[in-house]
Amino acid sequence: MKKLLALLVSAVMVCSLAACGSTQTADTSAPAETTEAAEPAAETTADAAAEEATDDVSYTIGICQLVQHEALDAATQGFKDALTEEFGDKVTFDEQNAQGDSNTCSTIVNSFVSNGVDLILANATPALQAAAAGTNEIPILGTSVTEYGVALEISDFNGTVGGNISGTSDLAPLDGQADMLAELFPDAKKVGLLYCSAEANSQYQVDTIKKFLEEKGYTCEYYAFSDSNDLSSVVTTAANDMDVIYVPTDNTAASNTEIISNICTPAGVPVVAGEEGICAGCGVATLSISYYDLGVATGKMAAKVLNGGDISTMPIEYAPQFTKKYNPTLCEALGIEVPSDYEAIAQ
């Protein structure tokens, strides 16, 4: 009897241990299977969220253009085309024109800052100056700006502005322009330098080319006008006194080429221009850049900034090439023959 009871107790204990072992195995294996199944789902959800966030990104670009004329218009269009190619309908433009008034540039920039645009394009020197004064946080790219050190009063400018500003320069080689003037008018003695005194970069250009022209034996005189109101009288004086007139890349002159042409052409005084738009309106020749290509280059810089690039380290970029161009209509009217390597400006 005692042996029988002992066998029964042993059997019960073995069954109990087996049951406990089965329970522990089930408890530990089930959560492991659940975790393995959940991880891929979590990863898929995160990827989808990231993709959706990328799709939702959009940018608003504020464009402040000083004045409407062919060169600045082309730069703005090139800028917009480059960004549209990069971002499609995810980029929108708030494009505003200051109608030649630097104070209006400041008003426009202040509106961009209030609206929290993602980037500002400042087209021309006064627009850049207004943008620089208006914000040190929103990225600013300039274009159609000749010399950034002069425009922003940086005495030790080394090619990179730093901070929240960079951009492209429309400076054509001024020594090359002096060479071109000498090539076309070797017998001239006096060159009038016609420019707007309110534009710092115009002053820089005429000061620089004056040195190159004087090295070639020309006598140079400054003819500065403050705005379009006194342009006619200043041009008349220059046309009466000078053999040739040089007009730098100057926004006020570019907006008033008809006035210049109506005085200089009847007087038989040729105008050599700093850029193609001015030359098409009143000049006979220019060493030209493509402002559309300059705008495209600026747009590509903007794309880098919006994609996370550091604008503070971006150096100022320059036009990749320059072309000798002439105005067939005015050259014919003044009896000027140009060398074969000059390209005619489309009329």
Side-chain angles (χ1 to χ4, degrees), residues 33-258:
E33 292 174 0
T34 303
T35 302
E36 290 175 1
E39 284 178 354
E43 290 175 3
T44 302
T45 302
D47 291 343
E51 184 176 351
E52 184 178 352
T54 302
D55 291 341
D56 288 343
V57 171
S58 62
Y59 304 103
T60 300
I61 311 298
I63 299 176
C64 178
Q65 181 173 317
L66 174 64
V67 67
Q68 184 174 6
H69 67 69
E70 184 177 346
L72 300 190
D73 292 348
T76 293
Q77 190 60 54
F79 175 82
K80 291 165 61 179
D81 288 350
L83 279 174
T84 300
E85 181 177 352
E86 174 73 17
F87 297 111
D89 59 6
K90 295 177 184 178
V91 61
T92 57
F93 303 98
D94 183 355
E95 184 176 349
Q96 300 192 39
N97 194 296
Q99 303 301 324
D101 188 342
S102 57
N103 291 326
T104 303
C105 287
S106 298
T107 302
I108 292 171
V109 168
N110 289 338
S111 72
F112 292 159
V113 174
S114 297
N115 294 333
V117 299
D118 297 293
L119 183 143
I120 294 173
L121 172 70
N123 193 345
T125 299
L128 176 67
Q129 293 168 330
T135 178
N136 59 6
E137 296 180 356
I138 298 174
I140 299 167
L141 288 173
T143 192
S144 312
V145 176
T146 304
E147 170 58 44
Y148 282 74
V150 173
L152 300 175
E153 298 181 348
I154 304 172
S155 58
D156 57 347
F157 182 63
N158 62 4
T160 301
V161 176
N164 64 322
I165 299 174
S166 189
T168 57
S169 168
D170 61 358
L171 179 64
L174 293 168
D175 56 345
Q177 293 186 5
D179 290 341
M180 184 183 64
L181 189 149
E183 178 181 44
L184 294 174
F185 306 107
D187 298 328
K189 302 297 182 184
K190 298 181 292 183
V191 178
L193 307 174
L194 179 68
Y195 68 102
C196 179
S197 58
E199 298 189 32
N201 275 317
S202 295
Q203 183 74 61
Y204 168 81
Q205 290 174 81
V206 295
D207 286 345
T208 303
I209 201 169
K210 181 175 184 286
K211 299 173 185 177
F212 293 129
L213 290 171
E214 288 177 341
E215 289 174 358
K216 297 177 180 299
Y218 293 99
T219 299
C220 299
E221 295 289 340
Y222 291 118
Y223 290 89
F225 55 91
S226 57
D227 54 36
S228 59
N229 294 321
D230 63 340
L231 175 61
S232 180
S233 61
V234 173
V235 174
T236 299
T237 302
N240 289 334
D241 297 342
M242 298 289 110
D243 301 318
V244 181
I245 291 176
Y246 173 77
V247 180
T249 302
D250 183 288
N251 293 297
T252 308
S255 300
N256 295 276
T257 56
E258 186 176 357

